[in-house]
Amino acid sequence: TFTITVSSWEENFNSYTLGQRLDGSPDDGGWEGWDNNPAAGGTVSNDYFRSSPYSDMVTGQNDNVHQYFGYTSGKFVYTAWQYLPTNYTGQTYFILMSAYIAGGAKDWALQMEFNNAQNVVKPYMYGSGSLPLIKGQWVELRTVMDTTSQTWTFYYGGQLLCTYTAGNVHGIAAVDLWSNGASNVYYDDISLKPALTLTT
């Protein structure tokens, strides 16, 4: 008996319109503001993009969320490309949630801080270590999560930053692109891909 799991999700923001707020409206592809707050949604921008012509810009108090369903067992790879302009300031966060209910229960599983003052990217909640911040170019953020071994592994620009084991590794329920008052940050070419499983 062979079981193959290949379902995946991808987003390049090119199906939206310039200036569109990704705030939870029906035409926002599942993007919404944190706790269904429209003011927290990101904005479709052409300032910088990895795949032409658009990307998602988060800035100020933006807290852009996309929920996922059914990714509760197995091994997954979450990839996002991030652009920090050379004049970037503040502390912004890339977050993956193991549980997310708007206005309800939540479980933070991975939270990476991009700290301009310290010029590093580092884990905020779990894991340890840091890498130099990269500005002025698109950088891959890649997370490998294994619900069986309960491990999270994060790579920044192809370099291993940290790996850790945590009891809350029970799948992925949402991504959260939190600006936290920082200047403009851009995301593009995001994907969630389960690993191929083969059983006999």
Side-chain angles (χ1 to χ4, degrees):
T1 301
F2 296 90
T3 302
I4 300 176
T5 304
V6 294
S7 59
S8 63
W9 171 88
E10 297 179 81
E11 174 67 270
N12 61 18
F13 302 101
N14 296 333
S15 62
Y16 308 118
T17 59
L18 181 61
Q20 181 174 342
R21 291 300 307 279
L22 302 178
D23 55 9
S25 298
D27 60 346
D28 290 340
W31 291 97
E32 58 193 88
W34 180 266
D35 277 342
N36 284 331
N37 177 9
T43 302
V44 177
S45 171
N46 64 354
D47 292 343
Y48 303 96
F49 48 80
R50 184 170 181 268
S51 58
S52 178
Y54 302 135
S55 65
D56 181 20
M57 180 185 75
V58 294
T59 189
Q61 296 306 312
N62 291 161
D63 201 352
N64 216 180
V65 173
H66 195 292
Q67 296 189 60
Y68 306 100
F69 303 93
Y71 296 90
T72 56
S73 63
K75 186 175 182 179
F76 310 101
V77 179
Y78 198 100
T79 303
W81 288 81
Q82 180 195 68
Y83 189 96
L84 302 178
T86 55
N87 61 351
Y88 163 73
T89 60
Q91 299 173 17
T92 197
Y93 295 86
F94 172 80
I95 303 168
L96 294 176
M97 311 287 295
S98 271
Y100 178 87
I101 298 176
K106 299 176 178 65
D107 192 353
W108 283 255
L110 178 137
Q111 185 166 353
M112 292 295 158
E113 176 183 296
F114 302 83
N115 189 308
N116 178 70
Q118 298 177 4
N119 197 39
V120 298
V121 53
K122 60 183 181 179
Y124 180 75
M125 297 185 66
Y126 306 107
S128 61
S130 65
L131 287 170
L133 206 60
I134 302 174
K135 301 178 188 176
Q137 66 184 71
W138 286 99
V139 180
E140 183 189 53
L141 315 181
R142 180 160 51 95
T143 305
V144 179
M145 62 206 85
D146 189 331
T147 63
T148 301
S149 62
Q150 295 191 315
T151 59
W152 295 81
T153 304
F154 182 79
Y155 300 85
Y156 181 65
Q159 297 186 68
L160 174 64
L161 195 161
C162 67
T163 186
Y164 58 90
T165 302
N168 61 353
V169 183
H170 46 72
I172 177 170
V175 64
D176 176 25
L177 310 177
W178 181 30
S179 179
N180 186 44
S183 60
N184 298 358
V185 178
Y186 303 83
Y187 292 91
D188 205 353
D189 296 337
I190 304 176
S191 66
L192 170 57
K193 297 184 178 182
L196 179 68
T197 59
L198 183 64
T199 58
T200 59

